Amino acid sequence: MAAACAARLRAPRSAASALAVLLALAAIGPARAQDAALPDYRDDRSTAASVIESLYNAINRREYLRAWSYFRDEPDRPGFESFAKGYADTSRVRVKLGATESEGAAGSTYYRVPAVVEATRGGTATVFSGCYELRLVQPAVQAEPPFQPLGVVRGNLRQSKATFEEGQGDCSQSNAPAKP
């Protein structure tokens, strides 16, 4: 009996049913092909490097609001409209990170992450290098909502003449982390 039911589910009863199945498959086919080209979703705020990798994962997936959300609500946070517009023509980004440095101060931990970014627009890749600065207000001292996870305070990247593979991130020239 189960085999008969399965056979009925597999085989359409009429030409109209067959056409409906084909149209449904055709409609989801391109969407699946497009999704297959996207990197897997990543949203990890557990380390400074993970935040930066998640930021660029969101950009590659064209999820600009999620990408923007990795920036803390601080004075150097870019406006959302200009942030999203700045990536509108970007077809792909790659990121390479150096060793994270950290420093504690007044209930917060500040992180500096050397970064190399390759952005591709119109088939042309441009390399940037520099530093991302992040801040985590210690979770134990956060007493009122909303909770503020580890987030980017600012990025200080400059166009580089090096290739992506040769490029080195550098935190020695970035601005000092903003402190409360």
Side-chain angles (χ1 to χ4, degrees), residues 96 116 118 127 160-168:
K96 179 173 67 171
V116 178
E118 179 185 74
V127 176
S160 172
K161 294 180 182 178
T163 66
F164 178 76
E165 291 74 20
E166 297 169 341
Q168 298 288 320

Side-chain angles (χ1 to χ4, degrees), residues 45-53 97 100 111-113 134 150:
R45 298 172 193 245
S46 61
T47 69
S50 296
V51 170
I52 302 303
E53 290 167 349
L97 304 176
T100 300
Y111 300 90
R112 297 167 79 115
V113 183
L134 296 88
L150 176 62

Side-chain angles (χ1 to χ4, degrees), residues 1 22 30 52 70 78 82 85 99 103 121 133 136 154:
M1 176 123 175
L22 288 174
I52 302 303
Y70 293 105
S82 63
K85 189 175 181 179
E103 172 185 347
R121 289 182 170 174
E133 299 168 358
L136 173 64
R154 72 174 62 90

Side-chain angles (χ1 to χ4, degrees), residues 83-147:
F83 177 84
K85 189 175 181 179
Y87 288 103
D89 296 330
T90 302
S91 60
R92 178 183 143 179
V93 290
R94 294 194 297 166
V95 63
K96 179 173 67 171
L97 304 176
T100 300
E101 302 169 2
S102 64
E103 172 185 347
S108 292
T109 304
Y110 296 88
Y111 300 90
R112 297 167 79 115
V113 183
V116 178
V117 175
E118 179 185 74
T120 302
R121 289 182 170 174
T124 302
T126 305
V127 176
F128 301 87
S129 64
C131 186
Y132 277 98
E133 299 168 358
L134 296 88
R135 177 179 177 214
L136 173 64
V137 176
Q138 295 305 318
V141 301
Q142 294 190 46
E144 295 188 23
F147 175 76

Side-chain angles (χ1 to χ4, degrees), residues 34-93:
Q34 187 179 23
D35 289 346
L38 294 175
D40 290 342
Y41 178 88
R42 177 168 186 192
D43 182 7
D44 184 350
R45 298 172 193 245
S46 61
T47 69
S50 296
V51 170
I52 302 303
E53 290 167 349
S54 295
L55 171 108
Y56 283 102
N57 171 265
I59 291 168
N60 270 326
R61 293 174 55 88
R62 298 186 178 277
E63 297 167 356
Y64 303 127
L65 181 59
R66 180 168 67 94
W68 183 75
S69 79
Y70 293 105
F71 286 84
R72 291 181 55 83
D73 190 11
E74 296 196 15
D76 286 337
R77 183 183 201 180
F80 173 69
E81 296 295 325
S82 63
F83 177 84
K85 189 175 181 179
Y87 288 103
D89 296 330
T90 302
S91 60
R92 178 183 143 179
V93 290

